[in-house]
Amino acid sequence: MEVELTAPNGKKWSQPLGLFINNEFVKSSNEQKLASINPTTEEEICSVYAATAEDVDAAVTAARKAFKHESWKSLSGTERGALMLKLAELVEKNAETLATIECLDNGKPYQTALTENVPEVINVLRYYAGYADKNFGSVIDVGPAKFAYTVKEPLGVCGQIIPWNYPLDMAAWKLGPALCCGNTIVLKLAEQTPLSMLYVAKLIKEAGFPPGVINIINGHGREAGSALVQHPQVDKIAFTGSTATGKEIMKMASLTMKNITLETGGKSPLIVFEDADLELAATWSHIGIMSNQGQICTATSRILVQEKIYDEFVEKFKAKVQEVSVLGDPFEESTFQGPQVTKAQYERVLGYIKAGKEEGATVMLGGEPAPQNGKGFFVAPTVFTNVKPTMKIFKEEIFGPCVAITSFKSEEEALTLANDSMYGLGAALFTKDLTRAHRVAREIEAGMVWVNSSNDSDFRIPFGGVKQSGIGRELGEAGLAPYCNVKSIHVNMAA
């Protein structure tokens, strides 16, 4: 059920291949597999077992049994927190291995995985471990005739479906609050990037979690994902991914009226006002769209620049992209941008670039494939100018290193452009005027607004959107609410 792998950086490890159910790695019921492809070389890394509906049922059954079993049910919040802290400690101990797997399987730079993604997992687990014995109910004063209080109870079995852009981080965002509240879990991995979380499954067992509390399955969305969403013994679905898939999940979950949390992408605006620090704006604008190969749901992929400083900003932004966005082998320390995660995503990005050209936008930079040594799903960082709000590249989520820049005259026009979207996940604005900053932040239709920065999320701060960017919040104290029920208890003191 494992294979020995060696990465280009010389790191060696035993990679699990099975479905992690009831603390054991098992084959799928029909022994079907799916291949994990290295996006840098386009070669197969290994094949893992892919869950059938029967396997999903086995995982849910294990989770339901664990939810009711004393080994988990009877634990105090303090004891649950201790298990989570132990898992965080093991993740930290295995940081280099996990970063290596993420780099190999996902294509993101090794240094990014090591210094940003793995620490995020550790921080989220520790944060929610601290909350495990502090998620209190309350006593409500209704007079001497009645004693009224609330308790917070776990929902039950949570089905969690994560995307391929941040396999480790997105898993932690979902596991942390669910475990904190006492739920059990069936985590469905993205079929494109299953390897890092399968390795974490080994650490879950080592940390001492009872069998069935956390089950991790691989599989295609149309088979394993659908079976999980529709399973009658699953109490909640948490999903991060595309808007189209999120809508299908809502439909399927409605049949059993499941509790749902959805985070379904965006087309986030970044507004640069004429009084902004342009060097700062260019630096953060680059981070906001070019990080993680542009594969970020909150990517500030629409840059709106006030006319007076448009040309100056564009030149500074172009220079920043040319300076920082070094393409190359993700295991090389100098690399900022690795390949897109799959061939399908690579072709999708190139398709949008073609559409931008055909609609008349100007390619100021990039706009072409950028293979390294003739291989890999690399796309040159692309900057479009002379973009009109009606163009596809301005309206639709590309999910790649591709940005559309347009101009505006007034604050009112900037807000109109920023809000003219079906999405509302994130937004950024740059200004030295504190009053304007607060005013515009309130008027932008988004779940999160960054002032003089972009995409600097924090595990202590709620994350989520409005409109078709999703339902509910993750991270921070707000991330606990979707994973517990508030039960009200009325006691008649006159009885």
Side-chain angles (χ1 to χ4, degrees):
M1 298 302 291
E2 294 187 345
V3 62
E4 300 298 318
L5 295 177
T6 303
N9 64 353
K11 195 74 178 177
K12 298 181 179 181
W13 72 98
S14 294
Q15 175 63 50
L17 303 176
L19 311 173
F20 186 70
I21 300 174
N22 230 20
N23 273 11
E24 300 295 338
F25 288 102
V26 297
K27 296 179 179 180
S28 53
S29 57
N30 62 358
E31 299 194 17
Q32 67 183 8
K33 290 185 174 183
L34 56 86
S36 184
I37 304 298
N38 180 341
T40 303
T41 64
E42 304 179 42
E43 298 172 352
E44 182 177 324
I45 303 167
C46 61
S47 289
V48 299
Y49 287 97
T52 64
E54 183 180 336
D55 299 318
V56 170
D57 182 64
V60 173
T61 299
R64 176 60 60 188
K65 182 179 179 181
F67 181 69
K68 296 181 177 181
H69 197 274
E70 291 302 309
S71 63
W72 180 248
K73 185 179 180 180
S74 66
L75 292 184
S76 67
T78 305
E79 291 168 317
R80 285 199 308 275
L83 286 172
M84 295 172 69
L85 289 171
K86 178 62 175 177
L87 178 57
E89 178 186 317
L90 290 170
V91 169
E92 188 171 41
K93 182 179 177 182
N94 289 270
E96 290 184 359
T97 299
L98 288 169
T100 297
I101 299 172
E102 202 79 322
C103 180
L104 191 72
D105 195 28
N106 177 278
K108 65 178 62 193
Y110 173 78
Q111 287 299 321
T112 300
L114 183 64
T115 61
E116 296 179 19
N117 302 133
V118 176
E120 177 78 356
V121 176
I122 298 165
N123 286 334
V124 170
L125 288 174
R126 286 177 175 163
Y127 178 82
Y128 284 113
Y131 255 117
D133 56 5
K134 303 172 187 69
N135 192 27
F136 305 130
S138 59
V139 175
I140 303 164
D141 183 3
V142 293
K146 181 190 286 189
F147 175 53
Y149 64 100
T150 63
V151 291
K152 293 182 180 179
E153 298 182 336
L155 300 177
V157 177
C158 298
Q160 302 180 322
I161 303 173
I162 61 171
W164 45 256
N165 59 335
Y166 289 97
L168 289 170
D169 298 24
M170 294 298 99
W173 285 22
K174 289 173 172 53
L175 291 173
L179 293 170
C180 171
C181 294
N183 299 282
T184 57
I185 296 155
V186 178
L187 179 70
K188 190 267 177 191
L189 310 179
E191 55 261 40
Q192 300 88 345
T193 54
L195 302 187
S196 58
M197 279 307 298
L198 286 180
Y199 191 87
V200 171
K202 296 171 66 172
L203 308 182
I204 288 167
K205 184 174 182 178
E206 185 178 346
F209 282 89
V213 171
I214 307 171
N215 305 275
I216 301 177
I217 60 173
N218 321 299
H220 294 284
R222 64 181 179 271
E223 184 174 9
S226 294
L228 184 60
V229 173
Q230 296 179 81
H231 200 290
Q233 289 298 310
V234 171
D235 301 290
K236 177 187 177 62
I237 292 292
F239 167 80
T240 299
S242 73
T243 304
T245 303
K247 291 177 180 179
E248 289 302 311
I249 285 175
M250 282 190 75
K251 292 177 185 176
M252 290 187 286
S254 70
L255 298 176
T256 48
M257 293 191 70
K258 286 180 171 56
N259 178 312
I260 58 171
T261 303
L262 304 174
E263 193 268 275
T264 52
K267 189 71 176 176
S268 301
L270 183 150
I271 305 170
V272 185
F273 288 102
E274 61 186 10
D275 67 332
D277 179 330
L278 296 190
E279 192 64 38
L280 183 72
T283 297
W284 279 103
S285 296
H286 172 266
I287 292 169
I289 179 58
M290 299 301 175
S291 298
N292 206 49
Q293 296 64 251
Q295 298 168 156
I296 311 175
C297 53
T298 51
T300 38
S301 55
R302 294 185 292 148
I303 300 179
L304 318 176
V305 187
Q306 201 151 15
E307 281 186 348
K308 184 178 178 181
I309 47 102
Y310 180 86
D311 291 337
E312 185 180 358
F313 170 81
V314 167
E315 286 302 318
K316 285 184 179 293
F317 179 71
K318 177 184 177 182
K320 186 63 65 175
V321 175
Q322 290 173 320
E323 174 194 353
V324 180
S325 283
V326 177
L327 270 73
D329 183 340
F331 280 104
E332 292 293 332
E333 194 168 343
S334 60
T335 296
F336 177 87
Q337 181 182 320
Q340 306 310 121
V341 71
T342 61
K343 185 176 182 180
Q345 187 60 25
Y346 165 79
E347 291 176 345
R348 172 186 169 87
V349 175
L350 292 178
Y352 272 104
I353 291 172
K354 180 182 178 184
K357 293 175 181 177
E358 290 175 347
E359 289 188 304
T362 300
V363 179
M364 187 184 201
L365 195 66
E368 59 192 9
Q372 305 293 300
N373 300 316
K375 288 285 187 178
F377 306 131
F378 295 85
V379 177
T382 300
V383 179
F384 277 108
T385 56
N386 298 317
V387 176
K388 296 178 180 178
T390 55
M391 293 179 177
K392 285 181 68 175
I393 57 171
F394 190 83
K395 297 183 76 68
E396 298 181 17
E397 186 176 35
I398 299 172
F399 226 60
C402 183
V403 67
I405 307 179
T406 192
S407 63
F408 66 88
K409 291 183 176 67
S410 65
E411 180 181 310
E412 291 73 23
E413 183 185 4
L415 281 166
T416 298
L417 288 169
N419 292 335
D420 184 20
S421 175
M422 71 177 189
Y423 296 111
L425 189 53
L429 65 100
F430 288 80
T431 180
K432 294 177 182 176
D433 185 332
L434 186 61
T435 302
R436 170 191 276 163
H438 287 292
R439 180 175 64 241
V440 173
R442 291 297 302 270
E443 291 298 320
I444 289 177
E445 296 167 357
M448 300 168 287
V449 179
W450 297 281
V451 178
N452 293 326
S453 68
S454 177
N455 277 272
D456 56 336
S457 66
D458 188 290
F459 59 91
R460 294 158 290 201
I461 302 173
F463 183 104
V466 298
K467 299 193 280 191
Q468 292 190 41
S469 283
I471 299 170
R473 293 293 180 268
E474 295 184 300
L475 300 183
E477 184 178 7
L480 294 170
Y483 287 99
C484 58
N485 285 319
V486 176
K487 177 183 283 184
S488 299
I489 299 176
H490 304 249
V491 181
N492 181 5
M493 301 301 288

